[in-house]
Amino acid sequence: MIWYPYAQMKTLEPPIKIASAKGVHLYTEDGRDLIDSVSSWWSVIHGYNNSVINDAIKEQLDKFAHVMLGGLTHDAVQKLSEKLASWLPGDLNYCFFSDSGSVAVEVALKKALQFNTNRGSERSVILALEHAYHGDTFKAMEVGDDEDYHFAFGSSNEKKRGVIHIPTEISALEKAFETYGDKLSCFIVEPLLQGAGGMRMYDVSFLERARQLCDENDVLLIFDEVATGFGRTGNRFVADLVLPDILVLGKALTGGYIGHAVTVANKRVWDGFLSDDPTHALMHGPTFMGNALACSAALRSIELFEKGNYLERIRRIEEITRRELAGFTSEKIEEIRIMGGCVCIEVKDEKYLEGFRRYAFEHGVFSRPFLKYMYAMVPYVIEEPELVKILDVMKSWFND
Ligand SMILES: Cc1ncc(COP(=O)(O)O)c(C=O)c1O
């Protein structure tokens, strides 16, 4: 029996069975062709069954699939970490790999907390955002602020003693630093776009001010770019605009091929762990960290991103989305938000989206709205007619 995610198994609607996939198309076992508007949880940026990434994995597979990084290393992980170090902004050069975004967030938080204990500092409070989502493991849930996902684990006060949540407003940010500045170890954010918390978008000026305040108060700034990284906001990384001390990447890192993630630290954080004292080491080591197939896929995925003029593609996706939704409105809609390769139609009440998933399916689109949010985060290889079709289906739901 498969236990499916985020689902009450007693009432689960049977999932759609996929037989094959190519580009932005999912082909079902019973012969339907669905355009994917979700990119398999926002990860499959180059589309499905991409021959270039397929070949990279096959080449690596003929050598070996995996060796552990405890005492061993290999070409694919070395090349990927070198590539990330040169490709990422600033001195974000120190790559710790893990098998999922949630674990990579755990590693980022561990780093920030231990960075302080290593230097004999008592800072143990974490600053985070309201409506944040950073994954489903326990510490990631604590810095998250989304009771819609994590309601089963007690009241927020009980479980989040060491975490302060603030809205994305500069006044709240300044007040938090005024109150807790000397107790904070780090400030963790999904920069510019908060995904699972409702596709909420905010301005870069908030991050610029956060950077200043973190510097003034000796607090580490962590960008969780598991969702926003690799172009989703229209920027390659939000870290290109404002430089964090620790950057977390996942999802699209491997082009959505294999679960893998990386927590990248700057030199200051790295130096905070260099010591003759063995207890200052980072004690973490997922079995599959630096998996060779994942690293090969990631390397080729980055190459595709670089050579394929992706930022231009994403700009075009945004332009088409804005054009198609210009002036569109319905009394059921609260707000329409668009940023880069993400569009969200927030409705006034969840009930207005009941049945939309089925409706989209019947109109040849795979969609997975949640709560009050109907959204699309398409693979960047999408062609204009396919994107227009997705947007038409979203609009027609309100008109039909
Ligand atoms: C911003 C952010 N951080 C972390 C995660 C967790 O990643 P994973 O599902 O790979 O554990 C997600 C997943 O949606 C995410 O959106």
Side-chain angles (χ1 to χ4, degrees):
M1 190 70 194
I2 300 170
W3 203 328
Y4 284 95
Y6 304 121
Q8 172 47 258
M9 294 304 295
K10 193 169 175 183
T11 53
L12 178 80
E13 221 181 281
I16 304 161
K17 192 159 177 192
I18 300 304
S20 64
K22 182 77 190 161
V24 298
H25 296 267
L26 299 168
Y27 300 104
T28 68
E29 214 180 32
D30 55 3
R32 277 186 194 255
D33 172 356
L34 300 173
I35 301 177
D36 180 12
S37 69
V38 185
S39 304
S40 280
W41 270 329
W42 329 334
S43 65
V44 183
I45 56 174
H46 310 292
Y48 297 93
N49 205 351
N50 180 293
S51 60
V52 177
I53 304 183
N54 288 0
D55 287 346
I57 293 175
K58 286 178 197 161
E59 278 162 34
Q60 179 58 45
L61 191 57
D62 284 337
K63 297 178 196 153
F64 58 89
H66 179 67
V67 296
M68 69 185 203
L69 287 198
L72 302 174
T73 193
H74 55 86
D75 236 20
V77 73
Q78 286 179 338
K79 284 191 180 140
L80 179 58
S81 57
E82 277 162 28
K83 180 71 203 173
L84 287 169
S86 64
W87 204 49
L88 295 174
D91 61 346
L92 289 166
N93 292 342
Y94 303 89
C95 301
F96 190 98
F97 293 95
S98 46
D99 29 30
S100 74
S102 303
V103 174
V105 165
E106 300 284 337
V107 171
L109 296 170
K110 261 193 181 179
K111 279 184 181 172
L113 293 168
Q114 194 181 340
F115 174 81
N116 280 292
T117 50
N118 280 357
R119 61 180 182 164
S121 155
E122 295 275 298
R123 293 164 174 264
S124 60
V125 180
I126 297 172
L127 189 62
L129 293 178
E130 287 177 4
H131 306 292
Y133 177 86
H134 294 289
D136 293 339
T137 51
F138 274 93
K139 198 72 189 171
M141 286 198 295
E142 274 178 41
V143 289
D145 174 41
D146 210 317
E147 295 306 311
D148 294 314
Y149 292 85
H150 302 141
F151 50 82
F153 300 97
S155 81
S156 12
N157 290 346
E158 263 167 57
K159 72 175 199 231
K160 297 180 174 180
R161 270 187 305 253
V163 184
I164 313 289
H165 288 97
I166 56 166
T168 51
E169 290 158 15
I170 291 182
S171 55
L173 178 67
E174 289 174 342
K175 186 146 186 291
F177 273 89
E178 231 172 81
T179 317
Y180 304 104
D182 59 347
K183 296 189 183 58
L184 293 177
S185 61
C186 62
F187 181 26
I188 181 165
V189 297
E190 293 161 89
L192 294 188
L193 169 63
Q194 296 183 282
M199 307 296 166
R200 291 160 198 269
M201 299 166 188
Y202 62 93
D203 195 75
V204 70
S205 57
F206 179 86
L207 298 173
E208 287 163 352
R209 185 71 184 121
R211 179 68 275 177
Q212 282 170 351
L213 289 166
C214 283
D215 288 342
E216 284 164 26
N217 290 273
D218 196 12
V219 173
L220 296 176
L221 182 60
I222 302 176
F223 278 6
D224 174 355
E225 293 219 50
V226 169
T228 58
F230 301 96
R232 192 52 74 184
T233 66
N235 306 285
R236 204 176 56 132
F237 302 97
V238 183
D240 288 330
L241 308 179
V242 174
L243 194 61
D245 300 292
I246 300 176
L247 173 65
V248 187
L249 302 174
K251 292 190 185 285
L253 174 67
T254 63
Y257 262 67
I258 300 177
H260 223 64
V262 63
T263 310
V264 191
N266 67 7
K267 180 152 187 338
R268 181 162 174 252
V269 174
W270 168 263
D271 284 346
F273 287 77
L274 293 185
S275 166
D276 293 324
D277 181 345
T279 66
H280 286 191
L282 180 66
M283 298 307 285
H284 205 99
T287 302
F288 292 105
M289 70 183 293
N291 172 268
L293 299 179
C295 290
S296 310
L299 268 166
R300 208 57 70 84
S301 168
I302 292 173
E303 250 173 68
L304 284 176
F305 194 97
E306 278 184 305
K307 292 187 186 149
N309 210 3
Y310 270 58
L311 289 180
E312 178 51 31
R313 283 176 194 250
I314 297 158
R315 201 195 53 71
R316 183 84 186 117
I317 288 170
E318 176 167 350
E319 189 179 271
I320 295 166
T321 308
R322 287 193 187 281
R323 184 193 71 206
E324 293 300 309
L325 288 171
F328 180 70
T329 182
S330 151
E331 60 189 16
K332 295 178 184 154
I333 294 176
E334 179 70 37
E335 190 180 42
I336 299 181
R337 297 187 280 274
I338 300 168
M339 181 186 276
C342 174
V343 52
C344 174
I345 301 181
E346 178 176 342
V347 294
K348 290 184 176 144
D349 195 301
E350 278 182 54
K351 68 175 187 231
Y352 295 139
L353 294 184
E354 274 165 26
F356 174 66
R357 202 162 147 178
R358 181 86 217 161
Y359 175 88
F361 173 80
E362 262 144 27
H363 289 78
V365 168
F366 174 64
S367 174
R368 194 173 184 280
F370 59 99
L371 305 168
K372 292 190 287 176
Y373 313 105
M374 170 194 280
Y375 76 94
M377 288 216 209
V378 294
Y380 304 145
V381 294
I382 198 163
E383 298 291 340
E384 180 164 347
E386 295 161 332
L387 178 56
V388 169
K389 177 164 177 182
I390 290 173
L391 296 167
D392 278 348
V393 168
M394 290 168 81
K395 287 191 290 187
S396 62
W397 168 252
F398 294 98
N399 296 332
D400 278 2

